[in-house]
Amino acid sequence: MLKKRPILLQCAEMLILFATLMAIDQGLMSGNAFCDINPNPYWLPVLVMATTYGTGSGLAAAAIASAIWFRWSNPWSGATDHIEQQLRLSIQPMLWMVTALVTGEVTASRRNRIADQERQHQAMDRNWKKLAEIIARLTDTNRKLQVRIATGQRTIVQAMAAGLDLSKPDPESQADAVARLIALAAQTEDFTFYDVRGAQVTARFGGKTAQGQAPDLSRSPMAQAMLATPRPLRADRAADRPLLSEWGLLAVPVAGAEEGLAAIILVHSAAGIRITEAYVAQLLQVADLLGKCPALFGREQAFAPKWLVPEGKVA
């Protein structure tokens, strides 16, 4: 690869070369700029600088060599024609200049070619890295899609099983089915199902991870707000946050057959779940399904015995 050094360092190298040659010439030789030696040693700094650093450094070395040549050389002996003397004196500097120019341009061309290759190599490296990142993202997306498809298929099967259990005559199977449907929609087992009868809001059962004894919410601001206007209350909304601060993340109303508030699904926590419109809509669909069930907790007299909640399900 072509060397890239500061101009002062190039000048120092050039001066060291010339100083060494001049010391040899003046100290060990006859001091006539190596006129008796062919090829002349002053070719060395010219070729080295032009080959290593390009045209500028080569021409500078040729100029210094020419100055030394004009000062100390004596390329003729005896009487010689004046024009021939000038030709003999100038031929060496002219060759140095031409050689420095040609060699320097070749060096510059090589430098540009190497620079282009380096840029292409860097571009290829960047493209390979981007391609590797894209492949990694596609692989991760494909893995997530496979998991989502598998989870979706399992969720459908679980929902179908819960729906079948909801039609069973015993109350324990019905309560289990309702809990499983809510857990599937909420994507968490930390919830409580509250029954609403008039102004009474009573906990009936909870998810598997619901903690502690569920309180009576009959006089809570949250229950009063939902009784006044049955709508989802969300902790991510500033207006609803004070109502839910003590209870959880989301409260979803379950409308009865007469469009009144029949129950409340209170989601306490959902790890890794963000409350979105799609998430709330999913829970509202389950709430709508439960509200339309005629046997839901014995609201019709014929199903009164089914209202009994099995042991272990009461929060």
Side-chain angles (χ1 to χ4, degrees):
M1 180 180 175
L2 200 62
K3 296 180 181 179
K4 295 181 180 179
R5 294 182 180 176
I7 187 65
L8 292 178
L9 184 57
Q10 296 180 30
C11 294
E13 292 177 356
M14 189 186 310
L15 292 177
I16 290 173
L17 286 173
F18 279 111
T20 302
L21 292 174
M22 288 182 65
I24 295 172
D25 182 30
Q26 298 295 326
L28 303 178
M29 307 298 289
S30 57
N32 61 353
F34 301 108
C35 286
D36 302 330
I37 301 176
N38 189 25
N40 193 292
Y42 283 113
W43 276 99
L44 181 62
V46 175
L47 291 174
V48 168
M49 300 307 293
T51 304
T52 306
Y53 299 114
T55 305
S57 296
L59 290 176
I64 296 174
S66 299
I68 295 172
W69 175 263
F70 287 133
R71 173 66 179 81
W72 283 292
S73 67
N74 183 21
W76 58 85
S77 60
T80 310
D81 182 77
H82 179 70
I83 296 178
E84 184 179 354
Q85 292 179 356
Q86 295 297 324
L87 180 61
R88 288 183 179 182
L89 185 64
S90 61
I91 189 69
Q92 193 78 352
M94 182 179 64
L95 291 175
W96 284 334
M97 289 293 180
V98 172
T99 301
L101 182 62
V102 173
T103 305
E105 289 303 312
V106 172
T107 300
S109 176
R110 181 166 59 93
R111 176 188 298 172
N112 294 333
R113 186 166 60 253
I114 292 174
D116 290 340
Q117 291 176 351
E118 288 181 348
R119 284 192 293 269
Q120 292 175 2
H121 181 70
Q122 292 173 357
M124 289 179 65
D125 284 343
R126 289 193 299 269
N127 292 337
W128 276 114
K129 290 179 180 179
K130 290 180 180 178
L131 183 60
E133 292 175 358
I134 292 173
I135 292 174
R137 287 199 299 268
L138 289 175
T139 302
D140 184 60
T141 302
N142 179 57
R143 187 182 300 110
K144 290 180 179 179
L145 287 175
Q146 289 178 348
V147 172
R148 184 175 297 178
I149 291 171
T151 304
Q153 291 173 345
R154 184 168 61 250
T155 302
I156 292 172
V157 172
Q158 292 173 344
M160 292 175 63
L164 292 174
D165 288 342
L166 190 62
S167 63
K168 291 182 178 180
D170 63 291
E172 184 174 359
S173 296
Q174 288 189 348
D176 281 336
V178 173
R180 279 150 52 195
L181 285 174
I182 294 173
L184 287 173
Q187 302 178 45
T188 180
E189 292 282 356
D190 189 12
F191 66 88
T192 303
F193 188 94
Y194 284 85
D195 178 59
V196 179
R197 295 211 177 188
Q200 293 295 316
V201 182
T202 308
R204 290 304 173 185
F205 62 86
K208 294 179 180 179
T209 60
Q211 300 294 323
Q213 183 73 21
D216 189 326
L217 299 182
S218 301
R219 297 184 180 181
S220 67
M222 182 200 72
Q224 296 300 318
M226 296 204 56
L227 285 169
T229 307
R231 65 176 181 84
L233 299 179
R234 300 168 51 168
D236 61 335
R237 290 179 176 171
D240 298 341
R241 195 174 298 123
L243 301 174
L244 288 169
S245 59
E246 297 182 18
W247 314 115
L249 298 177
L250 179 67
V252 178
V254 179
E258 299 178 357
E259 300 300 327
L261 185 64
I264 297 173
I265 301 172
L266 181 58
V267 179
H268 303 295
S269 66
I273 301 299
R274 189 165 58 93
I275 300 177
T276 62
E277 296 299 331
Y279 179 77
V280 176
Q282 190 169 259
L283 272 169
L284 285 173
Q285 289 179 348
V286 173
D288 184 62
L289 173 65
L290 297 177
K292 291 178 180 179
C293 180
L296 180 62
F297 302 115
R299 295 202 178 276
E300 294 184 10
Q301 191 62 32
F303 298 98
K306 297 180 182 179
W307 173 245
L308 298 175
V309 179
E311 184 179 357
K313 288 291 180 180
V314 178

